[in-house]
Amino acid sequence: METERAISRYDYFRRVNALCELITGALATGAETPEALAGHLPGLLQALPEYHASLIPRVYPDLIEALLKRKNRNAIGTFLLAFQQYLTDLTDGIDRGSPVVSNFPFFSPEIFLGMGLVPCLSEAVPLIIALALTDGVAQELDETEREGLPGHVCGFQRVPMKAIEKGLLPKPDLFVTNTAPCDSSNIMYHYISERLRVPVVWVDSPYYNDARAFRYYLEEFRRMVEELERATGRTLDEDRLREHVEMGNEQLRYLYKLQDLRKHAPCPDPGMHRVLDTLAVMMCGVNRRMVEYTKTCYEEARARVERGTTFLPEGKREIRTLWTYSHLPNLLSLASWLEDEFGSTYLECPLSFLPGDRVGTVDTASVDSMLEGLAWRSFHFPMHRNVMGYSDVHVNEVVQIARTYHAQAALFGGNHTCKYAWTLPKILRDVLEDELGIPSLTYEVDYMDARFAPHASVKAALGEFFRTQTGSEPPGAGPGAGAEAAG
Amino acid sequence: MIRPDGDDRTGAVMAATVPHTKDSGSALQELLTLPPGMENPYIREWKERGGKIIGYTCSYVPEETLCAVGDPPRILPVRLGAQGCATTEDADIFMHKFLCSYCRCLMQLALTGAYDYLDGLVLTSGCEHMRRTFELWRDQVRVPFLAMLAVPHCRGEENHFRWYLEEVSRLTDRIEGAYGWPVSGDSLQSAVRTHNRYRELVARLYALRAADPPRLTGTEAMRIAQAGFRMPKEAFNAKLSAALEELALRPGLTGARARVLVSGSYLDDPSFVEMIESTGAVVVTDALCAGRRFIEGKVDETAGPLDAVARRTFLRDPSCPRMVDGYAERVAFTKRIAAEAGVHGAIFTRIPFCDSHAVENQMEGRDLESLGIPTLHLERECFGGDRGRLKTRVQAFLEKIGR
Amino acid sequence: MILGCDIGTGFTKGVVLQDGNVAYATRVETRARPARAMEAVLEDIAAVRGIGAGDFEEIVVTGWGQGKAGTDCRTEATISCLARAAVWAEPACRSVLCMGTQQSVALSLGPAGRVLQYIANDKCASGAGKFLEMILEALECPVERSAEIARCADKKLPISSQCAVFAESEVVSLIHEGESPANIVAAILEHLAKSLVSLCRKVNLRDPLLVAGGLANNPQIVALLEEGLRRRVCSFRPGPDFIAAVGAALSGRRGAA
């Protein structure tokens, strides 16, 4: 009997692949509004499997509306093509019987690809489901809570671990992870390793960001490669490694140039794809289409700067907004809505920002230089750079970006399960106000679970903030006390 | 309720109202009532003699190295607890509610002056909550000496240990730089012997707890253990030796409804244990960080002392759940002490938002259940209170297991 | 003549502003039906003052239910309304604490009432009026008598749970232990006040501080706030409940000007 292919056998892959096909199909119709898309739907669905139609009622309506907009569609479309390519390569690899490595997202996939391993981003795949579907990954989250894992353990790990247990994602041959960013991640990898009897290759992330810390990390990184070679029987192929590293370098060069463009006023880069930027960084060098994605975002932004145009609605004054914690994956359309409603442009956020002057690109001269370069990059990736050290790193980076990008407002939408973050709101609020006169809003969310902070409540809170920022000055003193108060 | 002397006041009331009897009566009574802070005569005298008090919060801070600073020793390490903190309204200005109440209580006590007697503080990168406490302490409390000891999460390779050893050396170098007091091989060797003796004596205390019938309550045991964190180890060893003799002469505590083990997040509050014991159960052992785990394993007295202290501190089992290895050893430890103490059930507690213990408790709980040891999982804050609800849960648990 | 309405989760407040003065103010329970509550406000104004909806130059709505008023109106951000009304009542005002049913919010203001910072008790009932209501219901104590009852307390009780649900459970335990209602009410008011003090201190309070919202009608809460913040506070007039509604009406004034 023929075994079902991995792309269909694992429900999360099937769901994400279907979402990619649905959305790219929708974009291909050229429709720019949901109403226009409705007319194309019968034809679109005829060309796609029945399963895809079942997903449509579950897709966030505001997501559809936002991704069809001209400012967003190309970025979304090219990303999904790249992600689909990744998914195809991943599942083809599984079907071929290649060893599967489930790796922590900010951990250089080029290494695994260079060894002919299949890098399964078990944490990133559910993110796509959470950002697209109204029921998201709620079932897996609830099941873990019923089993006694409390809601304050990050859903980013709880979901994939449960999905692997349930066969919604493949059981890997190995887990590979840093000991960054957090206790939740560490204990959950430990937990699932014990439950599934799948070994973990740990790369210890030191506290501090100095040269000594990097030497330690580099030693760990090299040992990881040796352990992988021993465990899988695969060896690092220099040419294959170089091919992916060069793709990664090219991808990051576009990202650095794009980050520079964001300093222009008005910011020429729409904010909806920042969540996808984070995913792209997680998948650095994974395929050429990912390079195309970053290139597309860069070229669109550059064209706006050269033409002096903006994607902001006519007459909308720009509010240059720094997201001082991160974006919100489960409300992907949020940045787009803020642009249209309030002129709030998304400058940067620590989760998608990569400081090019420090991280640079990887020297591809030799295996040794590539390993060192990849370790350096991994050491400086989001969720490592600003977590494995004093909070000063995060704060100083935010303040520097605020200055150089001329931020006018700051949003701290903190993931409630992200313990490292929760002394930052007051520190950031005070320093941004005192040093730069920038007002901040703090609000609580859950990356993977929209029920924690329903979309309407998040929009109400942000709407309140921006309407307060854009409101005119109060009229001054009034007479005060007046007539009777009834009731 | 089990009471060896018929006194039914709460533990917190006892500590506050019974005058401390340093060197003037029963050693046992002295240890049971030793207060924290400057009310503690040992701390007061240490400072009056020109010594320094350095606080710490984590078992990965090697106490021996602090005790070996200077000759005679000039530093008294004191393990900081959250006792006495009923609210965290000052700490909450800086620390969001998603941070654990242990850290918020530490900050609260610091901001309100309860830790003004500290000359220094050593924190570790043990967990995110504690890591974030470091910068706040640095910026809001401004203790004269503040150090971070960065502890690797992995222990399997020599470079992991090498990093840890380097961190310990850097700490002692910084202390020497700050105060001019070095750590000599001899003073460290002496501290090693004292601490190994301490571990032996506390192990004997645990043996008396686990006896059938037990010679002391879990509440008393925790108070004694806490005293050991607030006084020079030599003095504590002498007092504990005498206290063990007193305890050996006591009649055993009979009529206990159930023998239980307590494990989980950091716990230093005897009133919590007292709440459990007010149901008629007796806490005969624990797998707590500042309890039984803390004394497991001795330092090799034949090896170079700094290396030996660092190896024991860093590499011993059971490890802390924040380490990414060592689960098998941790659960084996819990099973062993549960068997040694003949427990009828295990109570796992966690502080809200403590991820490591939240998951570890579930893992260990399942493993104990598979051995036929029933478990209860309780969530409790460090600022006390909520005892009625928690007691109801414990009572229901005991009824459920037929005790 | 402008009508400003604040549709809160507990109560809907309406204020008629005429020539810069509060000509009339009214309050009805919202009961999760903002459109109906808005209608009730309009009906009351019509019945008492003979003013119909069409007589207003503008109707401005703010608060939780602002998007669901079901009537022809403009909406305004609540934070802006609070700031606006605060400096209208107290021109030198630099901080505001508004204690509502579901949410309490602390604001720090710059010159002329510009909002510098604000922070609310996000997703946490323990710093809001609803928390007090829940607990007083468990004690069978009317909200309006809570200050008077608390003054009879003869013992300090700790209520340590920061979660409203667990705090309620603590109260039940205290009742079963035979503690007096006065002592428990006093403890709850103190607990609530501590949360509010903490909230205020997060926004770098500057004097003078104006308190408003339903809880500001409770003299014991106000006294505890003054003690906890170590400063005198002033209450919004013509009535603490009406601050946002006044602010909404004031914004209409600007629009009409």
Side-chain angles (χ1 to χ4, degrees), chain A residues 426 429-430 433 437 439 441 443-444 452-453 464-465 467-468 472-480 482-487, chain C residues 20-27 66 75-80 84 87-88 91 112 117-119 122-123 202 204 206 242 254:
Chain A
K426 172 124 176 87
R429 199 166 52 232
D430 288 350
E433 183 195 315
L441 175 72
Y443 53 102
E444 301 159 12
F452 181 86
E464 183 78 18
F465 176 70
R467 285 161 71 196
T468 305
S472 51
E473 293 301 311
E484 86 234 26
Chain C
N21 286 316
V22 172
Y24 183 67
T26 184
R27 191 180 88 143
Q66 61 183 270
T75 61
E76 189 72 20
T78 309
I79 301 297
S80 302
R84 195 167 290 121
V87 294
W88 170 85
Q117 279 193 27
Y118 69 91
I119 192 154
D122 196 350
K123 267 182 239 51
K202 286 179 184 174
N204 302 332
R206 297 168 174 85
F242 297 97
R254 288 181 301 113

Side-chain angles (χ1 to χ4, degrees), chain B residues 271-272 274-276 278-279 376 378-380 384-396, chain C residues 158-161 165-177:
Chain B
S271 76
F272 180 82
E274 193 166 30
M275 174 276 298
I276 295 174
S278 70
T279 63
L376 170 68
L378 291 180
E379 193 180 71
R380 46 118 201 144
D386 210 15
R387 294 296 187 243
R389 179 182 70 89
L390 292 169
K391 184 172 173 177
T392 303
R393 301 244 356 245
V394 175
Q395 280 170 329
Chain C
I159 304 256
S160 58
S161 293
V165 174
F166 288 157
E168 189 184 8
S169 171
E170 274 195 77
V171 165
V172 169
S173 296
L174 290 170
I175 295 170
H176 288 156
E177 283 167 27

Side-chain angles (χ1 to χ4, degrees), chain A residues 73-128:
Chain A
R73 59 191 302 124
N74 286 345
I76 308 293
T78 49
F79 177 82
L80 290 178
L81 287 174
F83 196 86
Q84 235 187 330
Q85 181 68 59
Y86 158 74
L87 212 51
T88 302
D89 294 341
L90 161 65
T91 52
D92 284 350
I94 294 171
D95 290 334
R96 275 196 311 268
S98 298
V100 178
V101 163
S102 177
N103 63 293
F104 180 75
F106 284 108
F107 207 51
S108 191
E110 295 101 318
I111 288 282
F112 311 115
L113 294 165
M115 295 174 73
L117 301 174
V118 177
C120 182
L121 286 160
S122 302
E123 292 182 46
V125 171
L127 196 67
I128 306 276

